Amino acid sequence: MKYFEDNPEIFAALVAAIAVAGGLLGSVIGARIQANGGRDQAAAAREAARIAAEAQRVAALWAARQLQIAQFVQSARDVVDVCNRYYEEGDDGSLILPLRDATQAMRLKAHEVELVAPQEFVEAARQVLLSVDRYSSEASEHGQTGHTHLLITRLLASEDEDVARTARLAEHALLHGGPEGMGHEVRLRAVAAVPGVSEGQARALLHDAEHPPRWNARLNSGRNDVEEKLREAVRAGRAVLQSEVDVVPSPPSRHRR
């Protein structure tokens, strides 16, 4: 200490050096604290951005699934509607293009579903496709005979007794082969005698009646199978979209003043 008392200028220089060193050390420590805090803030910001991006991705995927699943189910029903028209209106060639277009639209929606939906729904959609294809083939091949038979069935209740009697004879020829001794040509004439039934339609209907399973059995079976497969697809879609889960709105956030 006496040395510093005898040399005050050295003591002053030492004090100044210590002050500078202390300041530098404080600056380094402060900078390190700030850097660590900055990194934490940056990491928190990155995590928040990742969570937000993931939430957006999930929301977008859910919306895409909802849209594609609904459109696929509707496209399958559109094909079925055209097939039903074969039986309700008959086949005059005007349904070929609507059936083709509806089928192509259904297949496109099925491919889109494959890209966004879980495998559970993709498999359910595949079963719908197979069932609708079978029903479509039946409608294309037997829709005309189905329409003819529907016409005969309706005429059974005709107020015109002659028309009703003709329809009953045709129905008997179709279902039971007609009275004993009634040959094919006689049965054909009985069916063709019904008002609104051509000979070609009568031949087709009689052919279907002689080669089971009959068109009406195929029709009912096909329709029932399509509806069952569609119900299964809807159930799978609801499971994917968690339709049974209650959605509770989040309370508004409270900002501190």
Side-chain angles (χ1 to χ4, degrees):
M1 292 296 295
K2 191 173 187 311
Y3 174 80
F4 290 118
E5 292 175 358
D6 295 337
N7 301 278
E9 67 283 0
I10 295 178
F11 179 74
L14 180 60
V15 170
I18 292 174
V20 171
L24 291 174
L25 180 60
S27 297
V28 170
I29 293 174
R32 177 166 296 181
I33 291 174
Q34 289 180 351
N36 289 338
R39 283 195 293 270
D40 291 342
Q41 290 178 350
R46 287 194 298 271
E47 179 63 12
R50 186 193 67 80
I51 293 174
E54 177 64 14
Q56 291 178 350
R57 185 193 70 82
V58 170
L61 180 59
W62 187 93
R65 284 174 171 174
Q66 181 192 42
L67 178 63
Q68 298 301 337
I69 288 173
Q71 289 183 343
F72 169 75
V73 171
Q74 182 58 53
S75 68
R77 294 195 183 280
D78 288 343
V79 177
V80 173
D81 287 343
V82 177
C83 292
N84 290 341
R85 290 175 60 190
Y86 273 88
Y87 296 99
E88 295 164 0
E89 303 173 10
D91 181 17
D92 60 357
S94 63
L95 296 177
I96 296 176
L97 289 181
L99 181 60
R100 185 199 66 184
D101 292 344
T103 301
Q104 288 179 346
M106 178 185 65
R107 295 192 182 283
L108 175 60
K109 292 304 176 184
H111 291 320
E112 292 175 352
V113 160
E114 289 178 343
L115 298 177
V116 299
Q119 188 59 39
E120 176 185 2
F121 185 82
V122 172
E123 177 58 26
R126 190 180 74 85
Q127 294 301 321
V128 170
L129 281 177
L130 293 174
S131 181
V132 172
D133 280 345
R134 288 192 295 268
Y135 186 56
S136 176
S137 296
E138 290 291 342
S140 299
E141 184 175 356
H142 302 286
Q144 181 61 59
T145 55
H147 172 68
T148 305
H149 188 260
L150 180 62
L151 174 62
I152 294 173
T153 301
R154 289 171 175 170
L155 292 178
L156 291 173
S158 174
E159 295 181 356
D160 187 319
E161 182 56 34
D162 291 337
V163 172
R165 183 170 56 253
T166 302
R168 285 196 298 270
L169 182 60
E171 182 74 359
H172 192 79
L174 289 170
L175 296 178
H176 308 291
E180 185 177 354
M182 185 184 245
H184 177 81
E185 290 301 318
V186 176
R187 296 169 63 197
L188 176 62
R189 287 196 297 273
V191 176
V194 176
V197 178
S198 68
E199 183 176 339
Q201 292 172 327
R203 288 187 184 277
L205 182 55
L206 196 58
H207 177 272
D208 264 16
E210 293 174 345
H211 295 78
R214 289 173 46 77
W215 74 268
N216 52 353
R218 290 191 294 264
L219 167 63
N220 292 331
S221 176
R223 281 180 175 172
N224 292 338
D225 187 67
V226 168
E227 288 302 320
E228 176 58 28
K229 295 301 189 298
L230 281 171
R231 284 193 293 270
E232 292 174 1
V234 170
R235 284 194 292 267
R238 289 177 62 83
V240 168
L241 300 173
Q242 297 184 347
S243 300
E244 299 300 328
V245 177
D246 291 334
V247 179
V248 180
S250 301
S253 58
R254 297 178 180 178
H255 299 284
R256 293 182 180 179
R257 294 181 179 178

